[in-house]
């Protein structure tokens, strides 16, 4: 079967890899180079065992700060955009304990499948991507926030995750670069099995390997619409692009936050809205104990740190501000300040390499995977992964491959 994958971010490329591996002919279309969107400068963490959704009951107490504080790591700027309001109301509706538990269970199951898929990809193409498996620490600044973490750890333990609460002294023993930050921590969640990698390098390596296997890449192509099959209006015959029409037997939409608009053109409502994030990437001091080797998330600052080779990726913030791709200097300085505070000896911060990306988020935090009602039967969707696109990409790809061959519709 000839399958056309729309999108060359990590989700689209993982899908192309899985489909090619299962014997399909594959074409990948994107307006830019692989990984140039939300994948390129992401947080680099592969959080297979710690997937607490953003939609959480604690959001209600934070709401005034989200709306009014200019320094909040989570930011909402209301606009005259019906999608933003509809998405926002759906998000607040998901901020309850029952929905959060259900979302956590589904994300952990998908993440476990994704770990297996990522490892299969590694064995298959041996990508040069600064991969590490040094574990992860999620830091908490107060006893109250640590108590909330205990509840999440217990929930995830019952779902199969292996992690534990550790003291500040144990944090420093696990990651010596945290020594100067010891007094700012009440404790942390330690997950020994977590990993990290440079997602942009993974994307480049996937393109290299797939191209060698005959996968066709049509880059620099804007998608304008779709041509319906004559006599079969419930199917798509071709995707219409700036490089001409491209025919296929089936199509997979993995266009991130751009999926909503094209989904509407097909009669499907996709509750996907951009969750804007930022990152910096800095060279590290090679001295032992200066820069972290373990992945670290500072929960209070909503900032993540991941070691990728001789560099440190620092990423954070979540803004519902539409498709504004500007990079305010204040947000980048916030990430630099966080680096100085948590890891004062890690880097001279001479060059920051600032980046921003639009994470495609759904209100509950669950990606949309498979066929949808009212959409053409040969169009499958693989979008809405939020901040977990890298983590969930290969598990999502497996589900798309299963849905492609299934008689009944499948969605997640």
């Amino acid at each position: 079967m000839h399958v056309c994958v729309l999108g060359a971010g990590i989700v689209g490329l993982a899908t192309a890899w899985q489909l090619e591996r299962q014997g399909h002919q594959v074409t990948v279309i994107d307006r830019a180079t692989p990984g140039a969107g939300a994948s390129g400068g992401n947080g680099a963490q592969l959080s297979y065992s710690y997937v607490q959704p953003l939609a959480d009951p604690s959001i209600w107490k934070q709401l005034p700060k989200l709306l009014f504080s200019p320094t909040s790591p989570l930011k909402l700027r209301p606009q005259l955009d019906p999608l933003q309001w509809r998405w926002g109301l759906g998000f607040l509706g998901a901020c309850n304990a029952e929905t959060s538990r259900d979302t956590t269970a589904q994300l952990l199951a998908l993440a476990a499948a994704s770990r297996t898929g990522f490892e299969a990809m590694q064995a298959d193409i041996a990508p040069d991507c600064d991969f590490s498996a040094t574990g992860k620490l999620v830091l908490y600044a107060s006893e109250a926030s640590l108590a909330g973490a205990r509840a999440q750890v217990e929930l995830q333990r019952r779902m199969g995750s292996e992690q534990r609460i550790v003291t500040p002294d144990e944090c420093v023993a696990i990651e010596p670069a945290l020594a100067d930050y010891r007094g700012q921590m009440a404790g942390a969640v330690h997950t020994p099995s977590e990993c990290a990698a440079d997602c942009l390098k993974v994307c480049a390596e996937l393109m290299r390997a797939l191209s060698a296997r005959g996968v066709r890449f049509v880059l620099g192509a804007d998608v304008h619409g779709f041509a319906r099959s004559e006599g079969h209006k419930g199917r798509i015959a071709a995707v219409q692009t700036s490089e001409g029409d491209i025919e296929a037997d089936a199509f997979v939409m993995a266009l991130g936050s751009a999926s909503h608009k094209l989904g509407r053109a097909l009669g499907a409502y996709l509750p996907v809205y951009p969750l804007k994030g930022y990152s910096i990437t800095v060279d590290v001091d090679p001295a032992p104990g200066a820069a972290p080797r373990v992945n670290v998330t500072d929960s209070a600052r909503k900032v993540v740190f991941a070691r990728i080779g001789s560099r440190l990726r620092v990423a954070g913030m979540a803004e519902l501000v539409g498709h504004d791709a500007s990079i305010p200097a204040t947000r980048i300085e916030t990430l630099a300040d966080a680096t100085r505070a948590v890891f004062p000896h890690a880097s001279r911060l001479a060059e920051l390499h600032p980046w921003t990306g639009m994470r495609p988020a759904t209100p509950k935090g669950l990606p949309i995977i498979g066929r949808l009602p009212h959409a053409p039967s040969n169009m499958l969707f693989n979008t809405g992964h939020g901040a977990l696109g890298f983590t969930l990409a290969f598990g999502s790809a497996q589900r798309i491959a299963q849905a492609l061959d299934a008689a009944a519709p499948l969605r997640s």
Side-chain angles (χ1 to χ4, degrees):
M1 183 185 295
H2 181 198
V3 186
C4 182
V5 178
L6 311 180
I10 187 59
V11 172
L13 290 169
T15 302
W17 173 80
Q18 184 69 39
L19 294 174
E20 190 281 331
R21 194 168 179 239
Q22 295 186 199
H24 296 288
Q25 178 188 351
V26 181
T27 297
V28 179
I29 302 173
D30 201 289
R31 66 184 303 177
T33 55
S39 301
N42 66 17
Q45 294 187 357
L46 291 161
S47 297
Y48 297 121
S49 298
Y50 199 84
V51 294
Q52 184 171 14
L54 184 62
D56 180 84
S58 64
I59 287 292
W60 290 103
K61 291 183 179 179
Q62 303 175 46
L63 201 54
K65 184 178 181 181
L66 301 184
L67 289 170
F68 303 114
S69 173
T71 60
S72 172
L74 303 177
K75 182 178 180 181
L76 172 61
R77 186 191 302 157
Q79 299 177 327
L80 295 176
D81 180 353
L83 174 61
Q84 187 197 51
W85 284 87
R86 186 173 179 179
W87 190 98
L89 290 173
F91 172 76
L92 291 176
C95 290
N96 61 79
E98 182 179 356
T99 300
S100 182
R101 283 194 301 269
D102 180 65
T103 299
T104 297
Q106 293 190 56
L107 290 176
L108 283 173
L110 184 56
S114 201
R115 182 196 292 272
T116 300
F118 190 92
E119 290 172 350
M121 180 276 295
Q122 286 180 294
D124 183 22
I125 70 172
D128 177 9
C129 61
D130 296 321
F131 176 82
S132 63
T134 53
K136 177 178 178 178
L137 285 165
V138 181
L139 312 181
Y140 291 89
S142 68
E143 290 297 338
S145 61
L146 190 61
R150 289 181 191 277
Q152 184 70 13
V153 166
E154 175 58 23
L155 173 65
Q156 295 182 157
R157 184 195 64 76
R158 295 196 299 268
M159 297 174 183
S161 292
E162 295 184 10
Q163 48 203 187
R164 65 188 182 98
I165 301 291
V166 294
T167 67
D169 285 340
E170 289 175 309
C171 286
V172 175
I174 294 165
E175 178 46 74
L178 285 168
D180 290 298
Y181 199 61
R182 186 208 172 284
Q184 305 300 311
M185 299 182 286
V189 176
H190 181 221
T191 311
S193 61
E194 302 291 56
C195 309
D198 186 329
C199 188
L200 186 60
K201 286 188 175 183
V202 173
C203 289
E205 291 284 89
L206 280 167
M207 180 182 175
R208 175 190 60 78
L210 291 172
S211 295
R213 296 177 183 182
V215 171
R216 178 189 177 198
F217 283 82
V218 182
L219 304 178
D222 289 307
V223 175
H224 298 316
F226 304 92
R228 302 277 183 153
S229 298
E230 291 187 15
H232 298 280
K233 296 302 182 182
R235 293 179 61 82
I236 296 171
V239 56
Q240 299 166 330
T241 81
S242 56
E243 300 298 310
D245 289 4
I246 298 174
E247 297 181 351
D249 301 307
F251 301 82
V252 180
M253 188 180 294
L255 289 170
S257 58
S259 299
H260 172 78
K261 183 177 179 180
L262 285 171
R264 286 188 62 185
L266 293 172
Y269 170 65
L270 297 172
V272 177
Y273 195 81
L275 199 62
K276 186 179 182 183
Y278 303 90
S279 77
I280 58 176
T281 307
V282 300
D283 292 333
V284 300
D285 187 327
R293 293 195 172 275
V294 173
N295 295 326
V296 172
T297 295
D298 188 321
S299 64
R301 289 184 169 86
K302 298 291 190 294
V303 172
V304 303
F305 303 86
R307 183 70 171 267
I308 44 177
S310 61
R311 300 162 296 147
L312 183 66
R313 174 70 49 79
V314 186
M317 270 75 85
E319 300 181 349
L320 275 81
V321 295
H323 293 269
D324 176 11
S326 64
I327 305 179
T330 54
R331 296 311 245 176
I332 298 306
E333 188 57 32
T334 295
L335 294 176
D337 286 344
T339 308
R340 295 185 189 100
V342 182
F343 299 110
H345 310 294
S347 173
R348 291 185 295 116
L349 302 177
E351 294 185 32
L352 301 181
H353 302 287
W355 174 90
T356 188
M358 305 294 176
R359 312 179 191 104
T362 64
K364 290 183 180 180
L366 289 172
I368 299 166
I369 307 172
R371 297 180 177 88
L372 291 178
H374 310 301
S377 61
N378 62 336
M379 170 62 76
L380 290 84
F381 298 88
N382 196 5
T383 187
H385 296 75
L388 292 172
F390 194 17
T391 295
L392 302 177
F394 288 87
S396 301
Q398 292 173 10
R399 293 195 182 181
I400 286 292
Q402 294 164 2
L404 190 65
D405 297 328
L410 170 71
R411 67 177 296 187
S412 174

